[in-house]
Amino acid sequence: MLIVAGTGYVDPAHRDALLEGLAPALRRTRTAPGCLDYVVAADPIESGRVNIFERWESEADLNAHLSGNAQTAPSMAHVRSVEVVRYDISGSSPLPS
């Protein structure tokens, strides 16, 4: 399993429009083969920050998504910066309650 996580910074006045513009791509990606989770969401504390979280079954699934995504990506004109990191996960277990 792979996890992709990160943050993006955008002009706070344009954050809602960015998220609205991303919604169709998020919906499509969630139905892609191997996509377990995919979200870009407004940070509740910093008005110009978005949080990015993805889970993929395999590297091949993530690569297929990345290779086809460039043609459908919305405008990122108001994005100031993005930092995203990929994590290779060898196992997982539920947290104790």
Side-chain angles (χ1 to χ4, degrees), residues 12-51:
H14 297 282
R15 184 175 72 176
D16 289 345
L18 171 70
L19 295 173
E20 190 175 307
L22 287 171
L26 293 172
R27 286 186 190 95
R28 276 192 310 277
T29 300
R30 285 184 178 184
T31 64
C35 181
L36 302 171
D37 199 3
Y38 194 86
V39 65
V40 178
D43 187 87
I45 298 170
E46 295 180 54
S47 62
R49 177 177 164 160
V50 295
N51 298 307

